[in-house]
Amino acid sequence: MTYTATKHGITGLTRTISLDGRPFGIACGQIDIGNAETPMVADLKARAVAAGQVPPQTMDVANAAQGVLHMATLPPEANVQFMTVMATKMPYIGRG
């Protein structure tokens, strides 16, 4: 429940900054990253395998970095409001 509340809070903050910043040329975007292969996620995978469970699907962390770079290098007249970068086989909205 804490994750969900935080997620909705950040989404609300992103929308508020986008609306309030518009008159000043301020752009704001949110990137949601799912299961990038960080040391923490690698540890979760190893523990799942050791417990005989199916490990989570992951992607190279460079894919997430590429998404951040794309958002950061857009010209001032363009903005990515929301982006989700995740492992293709990660269960999400009917996947998996």
Side-chain angles (χ1 to χ4, degrees), residues 6-94:
T6 303
K7 178 79 164 194
H8 285 281
I10 293 299
T11 298
L13 182 62
T14 301
R15 289 182 173 142
T16 299
I17 291 170
S18 293
L19 291 171
D20 292 349
R22 187 180 296 162
F24 308 102
I26 296 171
C28 180
Q30 175 180 328
I31 184 165
D32 301 313
I33 300 169
N35 287 3
E37 185 77 30
T38 62
M40 181 178 77
V41 173
D43 183 56
L44 290 172
K45 282 177 68 172
R47 284 192 276 158
V49 169
Q53 300 169 345
V54 177
Q57 299 296 316
T58 61
M59 65 175 178
D60 190 313
V61 73
N63 296 315
Q66 188 176 19
V68 172
L69 180 63
H70 171 70
M71 291 174 75
T73 57
L74 286 173
E77 68 270 8
N79 184 43
V80 175
Q81 184 71 42
F82 297 99
M83 178 189 289
T84 301
V85 180
M86 61 187 217
T88 302
K89 294 183 180 181
M90 182 179 154
Y92 177 76
I93 307 179

